[in-house]
C-alpha cells in the first residue's frame, strides 16, 4: 500500500532517503501531509460554502471536542495552511482511488485537487499522505534515527519517548524535552520554545497544526521537520493501522558487536 500509485510520486523509501540526506547535510526539510482534515480546513469559504464545510463530521468534531486541535471556521488557519503547503519540500496527498484512508471520498483526493487548483498549490514533490505510517514499517527509518537527537511535538511526546526507548534502545536514539501542543493558537508559543533547542529532526503529531509547524520550523529555523500524524499514538497504543518494524535478536547482537568494535 505504501508504493507510489501515480507517476512521479516519491515512495516511502524515497522520503526516508531525503530526510536522512537532509539530516546528514544539516539542511532544512519539511514533510507535510494533506488528508481529509486539511482538505476541509482548506475548503472553507473559497471551495465549499461554510455551511457545507461545517456540516462535515470533521468540522462538527472540531466544534464540539478538542480532538482536532482547531475550531472551524478559522480563515487564518486556512491561509496559513495554504502558505505552508506551497512552501513545503514534500507533500503527502491521497491517491485518486484511495482505499487506505477511512474517510468519505468527497473529502479526499477530489477535494485536494479542487483546493490545490483554487489556491494554485503546486507541490515540489508528492507522496502518499500516509507516508508517516509507512515509514515506521521500514528498518531504514529506525536506522536513519540511530544516534540522532529527536524532538517530538505532541500531546503524546512523553509516551512516545518511553515507547521508543523500550523497543529501540540499542539504536541510541535520544529525545529532547517533549513539547506539548493542543490547539492552533499555541503554534507561536511552540515555535518560541523551539528556538534554542538542538536536535537532528522534529517529529510533529498535532493534527492539521503539524503542517504549519513543520513548514515554519524548516523555513524559519532551518530544521528537518516531519508531520508524523497519528503514527505516535497508534504505535503507543498498539493499533494495527501502524505496524512498526521490529528489531530481531540478531539485529541487537549485530548492533552490540558494532558498538564494541568502535570502542575498541
Amino acid at each position: 500500500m505504501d508504493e507510489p500509485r501515480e507517476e512521479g510520486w516519491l515512495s516511502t523509501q524515497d522520503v526516508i532517503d531525503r530526510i536522512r540526506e537532509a539530516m546528514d547535510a544539516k539542511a532544512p526539510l519539511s514533510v507535510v501531509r494533506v488528508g481529509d482534515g486539511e482538505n476541509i480546513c482548506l475548503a472553507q469559504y473559497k471551495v465549499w460554502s461554510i455551511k457545507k464545510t461545517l456540516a462535515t463530521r470533521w468540522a462538527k468534531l472540531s466544534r464540539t471536542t478538542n480532538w482536532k486541535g482547531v475550531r472551524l471556521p478559522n480563515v487564518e488557519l486556512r491561509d496559513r495552511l495554504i502558505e505552508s503547503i506551497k512552501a513545503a519540500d514534500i507533500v503527502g496527498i491521497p491517491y485518486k482511488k484511495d482505499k487506505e484512508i477511512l474517510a468519505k471520498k468527497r473529502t479526499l483526493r477530489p477535494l485536494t485537487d479542487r483546493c490545490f487548483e483554487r489556491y494554485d498549490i503546486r507541490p515540489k514533490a508528492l507522496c502518499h499522505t500516509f507516508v508517516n505510517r509507512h515509514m515506521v514499517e521500514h528498518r531504514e527509518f529506525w536506522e536513519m534515527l540511530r544516534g540522532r537527537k529527536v524532538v517530538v511535538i505532541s500531546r503524546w511526546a512523553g509516551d512516545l519517548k518511553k515507547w521508543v526507548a523500550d523497543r529501540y534502545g540499542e539504536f541510541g536514539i535520544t529525545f529532547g524535552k517533549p513539547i506539548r501542543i493542543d490547539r492552533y493558537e499555541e503554534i507561536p508559543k511552540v515555535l518560541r520554545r523551539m528556538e534554542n533547542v538542538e536536535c537532528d529532526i522534529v517529529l510533529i503529531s498535532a493534527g492539521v497544526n503539524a503542517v504549519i509547524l513543520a513548514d515554519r520550523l524548516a523555513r524559519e529555523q532551518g530544521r528537518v521537520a516531519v508531520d508524523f500524524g497519528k503514527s505516535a499514538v497508534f504505535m503507543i497504543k498498539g493499533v494495527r493501522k501502524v505496524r512498526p518494524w521490529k528489531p530481531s535478536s540478531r539485529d541487537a547482537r549485530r548492533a552490540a558487536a558494532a558498538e564494541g568494535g568502535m570502542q575498541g
Side-chain angles (χ1 to χ4, degrees):
M1 294 295 293
D2 62 333
E3 289 306 305
R5 301 294 182 88
E6 299 188 34
E7 185 177 355
W9 284 31
L10 301 178
S11 69
T12 300
Q13 186 60 55
D14 292 332
V15 176
I16 293 171
D17 290 343
R18 292 201 181 189
I19 294 171
R20 185 187 65 251
E21 290 164 5
M23 285 196 292
D24 288 344
K26 299 188 182 303
L29 180 80
S30 56
V31 180
V32 308
R33 304 176 309 102
V34 176
D36 60 318
E38 289 78 13
N39 283 334
I40 290 166
C41 292
L42 288 169
Q44 296 177 86
Y45 294 103
K46 298 285 189 178
V47 178
W48 281 358
S49 69
I50 196 60
K51 181 178 180 180
K52 183 175 182 178
T53 302
L54 295 181
T56 62
R57 181 175 181 273
W58 198 98
K60 289 177 181 177
L61 288 172
S62 83
R63 294 169 65 82
T64 58
T65 73
N66 64 353
W67 298 351
K68 301 304 181 183
V70 297
R71 178 182 170 86
L72 299 187
N74 189 325
V75 173
E76 180 183 275
L77 165 72
R78 180 199 67 198
D79 293 345
R80 296 293 78 76
L81 283 173
I82 294 167
E83 177 185 7
S84 292
I85 297 167
K86 285 184 174 182
D89 296 295
I90 301 174
V91 180
I93 66 173
Y95 295 136
K96 285 187 180 296
K97 296 181 179 179
D98 211 298
K99 296 181 180 179
E100 192 172 3
I101 305 175
L102 301 179
K104 291 186 180 297
K105 183 178 179 180
R106 68 189 180 97
T107 67
L108 296 177
R109 183 61 179 276
L111 188 52
T112 304
D113 290 344
R114 288 188 62 188
C115 289
F116 280 22
E117 181 178 1
R118 176 65 179 80
Y119 304 123
D120 193 29
I121 297 173
R122 302 177 185 181
K124 301 171 187 175
L126 287 170
C127 64
H128 188 251
T129 196
F130 276 176
V131 68
N132 62 314
R133 302 188 187 186
H134 294 303
M135 283 195 298
V136 300
E137 298 170 353
H138 290 242
R139 173 178 178 158
E140 290 83 357
F141 174 81
W142 300 102
E143 290 287 357
M144 174 185 75
L145 296 181
R146 185 185 289 276
R148 307 281 192 176
K149 185 174 183 180
V150 181
V151 167
V152 180
I153 300 175
S154 171
R155 66 181 63 173
W156 301 100
D159 291 329
L160 181 64
K161 176 182 177 179
K162 296 174 185 175
W163 186 91
V164 171
D166 183 51
R167 288 159 181 78
Y168 304 96
E170 71 271 19
F171 280 70
I173 303 168
T174 60
F175 285 81
K177 187 175 181 179
I179 297 177
R180 183 183 178 104
I181 181 171
D182 293 292
R183 304 186 313 278
Y184 166 74
E185 290 77 13
E186 295 174 323
I187 288 176
K189 179 181 71 174
V190 170
L191 290 170
R192 287 194 299 271
R193 288 189 62 185
M194 284 294 300
E195 285 178 353
N196 298 315
V197 173
E198 292 186 11
C199 64
D200 297 295
I201 186 171
V202 187
L203 302 179
I204 310 162
S205 293
V208 299
N209 301 315
V211 174
I212 299 169
L213 279 168
D215 162 55
R216 293 190 61 183
L217 285 167
R219 280 195 292 135
E220 298 173 9
Q221 299 185 19
R223 301 185 184 278
V224 177
V226 178
D227 175 357
F228 205 49
K230 293 180 180 176
S231 297
V233 64
F234 284 167
M235 290 192 296
I236 292 163
K237 293 192 171 185
V239 177
R240 292 180 67 81
K241 291 179 181 179
V242 173
R243 301 186 182 189
W245 172 80
K246 297 179 181 179
S248 66
S249 56
R250 179 184 298 177
D251 294 316
R253 290 195 299 270
R254 185 182 299 142
E259 184 176 349
M262 287 187 290
Q263 292 175 348

